[in-house]
Amino acid sequence: MDSRASSAQALPERLGTPAAAAAAKDLLSSVAAAHTLARVLRPCYGPHGRQKLLVTAKGETVFTGYATAILRALELEHPTARLLREAAQAQAEQSGDGAAFVVLLAQALLAQAERLLLAGLPRAQLREAYAAAAAETLALLPSLAIRSLGPLEDPLWALYSVMNTHALLQTDYLSKMVAHACWATRELDGGFQPERVGVCALPGGRLEDSCLLPGLALPGKPCGQVTMVLKGARVALLACAFGPASPNAPATARLTNPADLTKFRKGKEQLLEKQVAQLAAAYINVVVVWGEIDEKTLTHADKYGIMVIQVNSRREMVYLSAVLGTPLMPYLLPPLEPGKCQRVYGQELVQGLAVVFEWECPGTPALTLVLRGATTEGLRGAEQAAYHGIDAYFQLCQDPRLLPGAGATEMALAKMLRERGTKLGGPSGPTFLAFAQALQSLPETLAENAGLGVSEVMAEMNGAHQAGNFLTGVGVEGIINVAQEEVWDILIAKAQGLRTVADVVLQLLTVDEIVVAKKSPTHQQGLNPDPKKAKEQASPIGKKSPWGQ
């Protein structure tokens, strides 16, 4: 380790006797909240991270190691924890992954900021120096990109490196399928639209039974005699039963004699036939139903040549609604604007059945990756890895540069920031060193999750990087050469993650206290509260949260 680089614990000594330690008090609750959130995600970081069994608020049990899924399931009360979750989820939405990176690095930077404030560094100077360190880090990042994906190059090697971070047993097979789907759907100018590749998780079989189907494939089954529409499909989506209204509906039929019963049943059947006839009059020939399907109503649909498809997932219906551009109908009525596609048909697979929608226009799915698996948890992990690979290819089409992975980039940035920090005077020097220390915490976490001796591995990595070998990263058995092992990170995703972390940390450094507004007296006491008592309880600025004390 470079003897010139001061450790985080030695930073207060460099700054002198604390004169304004009270300024750090306001940051203490934010640091504690970030530390608690990071403690939950830290064991899941990296390809050797562990999984968690989550019990959601609905009582569902989820087995996952994805930071995004874990953050979504957590019930957070502290404002700082919520802010970090929002930032991590924004990073995942924009880059496909990196939620754990955002939380862990933000927590490390906040912990370093607390030490600097306790050492007496004014908050304004700390924020300015942190902003300078973040800008310097982003400026140095492109210099570490030594590999790029060529415009005519098979993306398999790059996608394998990205998808291999998700602890799948068959990463090779899945990476090949995702790479083939992305390559086959790219545009003539080299661009790529992620929505051109769909992902369908179909329970049953093995992952090796997964396949690619043209168009958009969904788990579902044709229920009537009409099993395909091969030309000019017009689609209606029903979020209700395909048949009579629910028997639990608040309505009562008053019948006095058998004739009334016969008339009631006949009228009911006539109403259902009329509703199906209205669908046919609107030229609807495909109906997708999220609900029960009545046999008699299905007979009417067969009579009018309407293909009826039943799906079991509302998520699939919402996705199909977005792709087709038609709303979900709560009643058995035709939509004003039905969805349109070229053809719809059922496709039998190994131990499963899917329904395929095909288009011949841009902006719609051209291929669907149908994933198979014996368990829901395995399917969920494969589905998330597939989406991550698709997002990664989209990013590589925007910027094909790649960075050394396995923590090598973070160590290289830390080394360069240390070298610059030792030469800077004033608050910038210690702040650059603190930023470097925070970056170094990420490869330390990789080593810890791999079951390695953190001190020994970090000493070896520091020695290698000080010798100029910035391709040294953390592997399962110790340090590795990331170029030889083909472990890469995407430059555009890493840069976006650093920007997200810098923004959220700089925002938190401006917070002086956490204030929770009181509920209005009308909510606490009813619509007619005692005005005098309400005035006594009201506060112009609200009350302080116990988190800020």
Side-chain angles (χ1 to χ4, degrees):
M1 183 181 296
D2 188 359
S3 60
R4 297 175 302 168
S6 302
S7 65
Q9 289 77 10
L11 290 177
E13 298 178 3
R14 292 195 60 190
L15 289 170
T17 304
K25 182 179 179 181
D26 301 324
L27 192 64
L28 289 177
S29 66
S30 295
V31 173
H35 176 74
T36 302
L37 192 60
R39 182 165 51 84
V40 175
L41 298 182
R42 184 170 285 108
C44 305
Y45 184 63
H48 310 296
R50 293 179 287 277
Q51 309 286 303
K52 290 189 182 295
L53 275 173
L54 300 176
V55 180
T56 66
K58 298 180 180 179
E60 301 174 349
T61 301
V62 180
F63 180 78
T64 182
Y66 282 80
T68 308
I70 297 171
L71 290 171
R72 191 184 305 118
L74 292 177
E75 295 184 7
L76 303 177
E77 294 184 359
H78 198 286
T80 297
R82 291 181 178 180
L83 183 63
L84 286 176
R85 176 169 63 182
E86 291 174 1
Q89 289 176 336
Q91 167 68 15
E93 290 175 3
Q94 295 175 8
S95 303
D97 200 11
F101 172 86
V102 169
V103 173
L104 296 182
L105 183 55
Q107 181 270 328
L109 287 171
L110 287 174
Q112 295 295 328
E114 179 190 3
R115 294 191 179 98
L116 291 171
L117 289 175
L118 288 172
L121 183 62
R123 185 189 296 268
Q125 294 183 18
L126 172 60
R127 189 175 185 276
E128 183 179 350
Y130 252 10
E136 181 73 13
T137 303
L138 288 169
L140 293 171
L141 195 63
S143 64
L144 300 175
I146 63 169
R147 187 79 186 269
S148 63
L149 180 68
L152 300 178
E153 189 176 3
D154 187 349
L156 174 60
W157 63 272
L159 298 188
Y160 174 82
S161 176
V162 171
M163 296 173 63
N164 195 36
T165 62
H166 295 288
L168 294 174
L169 296 178
Q170 296 93 357
T171 306
D172 292 349
Y173 184 78
L174 186 59
S175 300
K176 290 179 181 178
M177 294 190 65
V178 173
H180 177 72
C182 293
W183 183 259
T185 54
R186 66 189 182 97
E187 300 174 355
L188 295 177
D189 60 357
F192 175 71
Q193 300 179 16
E195 58 269 18
R196 295 285 284 168
V197 180
V199 179
C200 169
L202 191 62
R206 306 170 302 163
L207 185 61
E208 290 80 359
D209 297 324
S210 303
C211 62
L212 289 171
L213 293 178
L216 172 64
L218 297 176
K221 60 178 180 178
C223 296
Q225 297 180 0
V226 183
T227 59
M228 62 181 68
V229 174
L230 299 179
K231 185 177 181 181
R234 292 170 61 88
V235 186
L237 306 179
L238 303 181
C240 62
F242 190 71
S246 172
N248 297 324
T252 302
R254 300 185 179 276
L255 308 174
T256 58
N257 53 59
D260 289 344
L261 179 60
T262 303
K263 184 178 179 181
F264 174 75
R265 288 177 175 174
K266 186 176 180 180
K268 193 175 181 180
E269 292 181 6
Q270 289 176 346
L271 175 61
L272 292 175
E273 184 176 4
K274 181 180 178 181
Q275 290 175 327
V276 176
Q278 288 177 337
L279 293 174
Y283 302 102
I284 302 296
N285 51 13
V286 177
V287 175
V288 184
V289 181
W290 180 52
E292 299 295 329
I293 294 180
D294 178 64
E295 291 296 332
K296 292 184 179 180
T297 312
L298 186 60
T299 302
H300 296 313
D302 291 336
K303 173 183 174 182
Y304 287 99
I306 298 176
M307 179 181 181
V308 180
I309 302 166
Q310 186 180 34
V311 298
N312 298 320
S313 171
R314 177 176 175 81
R315 187 184 70 168
E316 305 290 356
M317 289 288 286
V318 172
Y319 178 53
L320 190 58
S321 173
V323 173
L324 291 171
T326 186
L328 294 176
M329 300 299 294
Y331 307 105
L332 187 53
L333 294 172
L336 295 177
E337 291 291 337
K340 300 177 182 179
C341 60
Q342 291 295 113
R343 59 189 71 87
V344 181
Y345 57 91
Q347 178 70 47
E348 292 187 4
L349 302 170
V350 178
Q351 301 180 14
L353 184 65
V355 178
V356 180
F357 299 77
E358 288 190 25
W359 291 264
E360 293 181 0
C361 57
T364 55
L367 282 175
T368 296
L369 176 59
V370 181
L371 300 174
R372 311 303 306 278
T375 64
T376 303
E377 290 77 13
L379 267 179
R380 185 182 293 113
E383 183 180 15
Q384 290 170 329
Y387 278 122
H388 189 193
I390 294 169
D391 291 335
Y393 186 70
F394 174 68
Q395 295 163 11
L396 288 171
C397 288
Q398 295 178 311
D399 189 338
R401 292 175 292 177
L402 293 114
L403 298 164
T409 294
E410 288 80 359
M411 282 296 297
L413 291 172
K415 171 182 173 292
M416 289 186 282
L417 288 179
R418 280 199 198 95
E419 292 175 348
R420 181 160 178 77
T422 55
K423 300 176 183 178
L424 293 175
S428 297
T431 305
F432 272 60
L433 296 177
F435 210 101
Q437 189 72 18
L439 285 169
Q440 186 171 311
S441 68
L442 295 173
E444 289 177 357
T445 301
L446 291 176
E448 181 181 355
N449 290 344
L452 304 173
V454 177
S455 300
E456 293 79 2
V457 171
M458 296 309 298
E460 289 186 57
M461 284 191 68
N462 271 303
H465 280 263
Q466 291 298 331
N469 186 6
F470 69 95
L471 296 177
T472 302
V474 180
V476 67
E477 296 180 356
I479 64 171
I480 60 172
N481 185 302
V482 298
Q484 295 177 358
E485 299 294 332
E486 293 285 345
V487 183
W488 306 100
D489 289 336
I490 298 175
L491 172 62
I492 189 173
K494 186 73 73 176
Q496 180 61 38
L498 288 170
R499 278 191 288 267
T500 300
V501 171
D503 287 347
V504 70
V505 170
L506 293 177
Q507 288 175 6
L508 290 173
L509 288 178
T510 62
V511 175
D512 64 340
E513 65 178 354
I514 298 174
V515 178
V516 179
K518 279 186 176 180
K519 291 183 179 179
S520 63
T522 55
H523 285 91
Q524 294 178 348
Q525 304 176 18
L527 296 177
N528 298 307
D530 182 0
K532 183 178 180 180
K533 191 173 182 180
K535 184 177 181 180
E536 292 175 355
Q537 292 182 347
S539 171
I541 61 171
K543 67 175 180 179
K544 258 194 178 183
S545 165
W547 300 314
Q549 298 176 353

